[in-house]
Amino acid sequence: MKRCDHTAAWAALQGHFEAHGRGFDLREAFARDAGRFQALSFEAPEVFADLSKNLLDTATLHFLLDLARECGLEARRDAMLRGEPVNTTEGRAVLHTALRAPEGQGPHSAEVHAVLNDMLAYADSVRSDWTLTDIVNIGIGGSDLGPQMAVKALDSFSKAGQRLHFVSNVDGHDLAPLLQRLDANKTLFIIASKTFTTQETMANAQAARDWFLSHGGHAISKHFVATTTHVQAAAAFGITTTFGFWDWVGGRYSLWSAIGLPIAIAIGSENFRALLAGAHAMDRHFAEAPLAQNLPVLLGLLDVWYRNFHGFGSRSVAPYHQGLARLPAFLQQLEMESNGKCVDLDGNALPYATSPVVWGEPGTNGQHAYFQMLHQGTDVIPVEFIAVKTPAHPWAGQHQKLLANCLAQSQALMLGKSTAQAAAESAPTASASLAPEVLARHRTFPGNRPSTTFVLDTLNPRSLGALLALYEHRVFTSGALWGINSFDQWGVELGKALCNQLLPRLASSASLGDTAGLDASTAGLLRRLLS
Ligand code: F6P
């Protein structure tokens, strides 16, 4: 396994970038090559991807595929899928793919399907229990973002009369207003935590239990359930119904496990199985498709091309489907917690950049906020559009407007508008005080700004599963090329430790002014907060 910068392909890519990458012009590329869309659009299970509005051509892909081969991407992928301990800093296998393999296939099949069957039977019983009107998932990070995102995405599959809520923040402003609206004996709390030690989740779980008991709640055993790898800790909390999973399921890859319980309650067992099946179809594609047709691989390579050669520091995700409103937040954890690393597998400092900042909002909302910067700002930020062909609502006219907006944005980013074009248009009257040529410069769009467009036929459990697995494997690909461990998250630990040290200073008024040993800024802020 070679690190990307130690390969001949990396050097070749540097040469290719200088010769063809830096000055690449999308408009010229389309004018030159009538087959560009066909050559650079790809089919994967449930997802069509148009990569043709990106700053590359088939020659670039050729070099990038050489890089993948020279880095041993396929061997690394196969090692992960076989269950080798590719998470080396924690000595763990990484087997979220096993969670969606059909029964009898893949590692750990018997235990995976035993828990899955139990969890889904329980989910269906909750779903058909009309005495439970509100389900509250208490969890954070991977124990919140995936389920929350998927429940919203699949809202049209959920059952009327049962509401799903998600509480994650240790800030009591998250839980308190929700509890005010709930009836203890009609509420089910799911305490979701891989470790069952996370400060925020434990604090919220404790507060929910206290509220439950003080608001006439009977039977913790019926109204609290846990999803965790730490079954004993859940029992010590007083929870008798627990659905377990395993240390080889990373938090940000856990929505396919028992952590998916709120999704299963929302959409039912059959639809949850369709979600798994969609992800499995993408897993097969990732495992079996030739690299040159392998969509997650191509996207991961594109990410390396943009981050390390073009130097782009962020990527904006624009889902043109309101159901995918939480997808950017989910992807932030998936991508930035996985690939926000600065040492390689051997602990050597990396001489190149890794994870970009991933961010976004659903279209068309983002258009009326930050798209100004995407079109005319000084940074080039690749945009990822997600369009869905058929909506789940009846308003064809609105859907046409949504899709027209989606297509128009990628077109505008690419085409831009020259100063001459701007000058030729009639200027708005409000700007009459400016000389026409000055105004035309303000109304110029540089263009040549890259984007990818994904198209799903419909947003349903199967297509969502495939889309999410696509993102997971894409992150794996760029992480493998960068030679990092995409499956640990040591970067979150220091803040947790310092928080635990500061907590006693905040917890007791007797410690007012106890700032011994603190830096001047933290000491000043602490005194201010305690005063
Ligand atoms: O602090 C980061 C993290 O460990 C994430 O990786 C994880 O998804 C989240 O906290 C929640 O952890 P847990 O499920 O163990 O409560």
Side-chain angles (χ1 to χ4, degrees), residues 139-145 192-202 227-229 245 250-254 259 333 337 488-489 492-493 496:
I140 197 164
S143 300
D144 165 67
L145 290 164
S193 175
K194 179 177 171 181
T195 55
F196 225 79
T197 56
T198 303
Q199 184 196 56
E200 293 89 335
T201 301
M202 292 303 104
T227 51
T228 182
T229 60
F245 58 108
R252 51 195 174 274
Y253 300 89
S254 65
I259 291 290
Q333 186 194 16
E337 199 173 69
D488 60 12
Q489 55 282 321
V492 301
E493 294 303 327
K496 286 184 192 173

Side-chain angles (χ1 to χ4, degrees), residues 33 35 81 87 100 114 135-136 165 179 189 204 331 344 447 454 493 515 531:
D33 178 5
L81 297 176
N87 176 356
R100 50 237 191 175
I135 322 295
V136 182
H165 312 274
L179 292 183
F189 290 96
N204 278 321
L331 294 178
D344 68 15
F454 295 142
E493 294 303 327
T515 55
S531 63

Side-chain angles (χ1 to χ4, degrees), residues 311-441:
F312 301 152
S314 91
R315 190 174 83 247
S316 188
V317 180
Y320 277 66
H321 192 302
Q322 188 61 25
L324 295 175
R326 295 294 291 163
L327 182 69
F330 169 79
L331 294 178
Q332 283 177 334
Q333 186 194 16
L334 178 64
E335 195 150 344
M336 293 158 77
E337 199 173 69
S338 295
N339 285 349
K341 310 287 164 66
C342 62
V343 297
D344 68 15
L345 289 167
D346 296 324
N348 303 306
L350 294 176
Y352 46 80
T354 56
S355 176
V357 176
V358 178
W359 57 284
E361 283 288 324
T364 59
N365 300 14
Q367 290 174 213
H368 297 275
Y370 53 78
F371 267 56
Q372 163 64 39
M373 180 198 178
L374 299 180
H375 288 291
Q376 286 190 316
T378 50
D379 290 299
V380 174
I381 299 174
V383 185
E384 205 155 271
F385 295 95
I386 305 174
V388 178
K389 204 167 115 184
T390 310
H393 63 71
W395 300 303
Q398 275 191 241
H399 193 59
Q400 286 156 11
K401 290 185 178 76
L402 178 77
L403 294 183
N405 270 284
C406 180
L407 294 177
Q409 290 302 319
S410 68
Q411 224 186 356
L413 286 164
M414 172 173 74
L415 297 177
K417 187 196 279 181
S418 68
T419 309
Q421 280 174 307
E425 291 171 0
S426 58
T429 47
S431 308
S433 60
L434 277 184
E437 63 275 17
V438 175
L439 184 56
R441 284 201 291 274

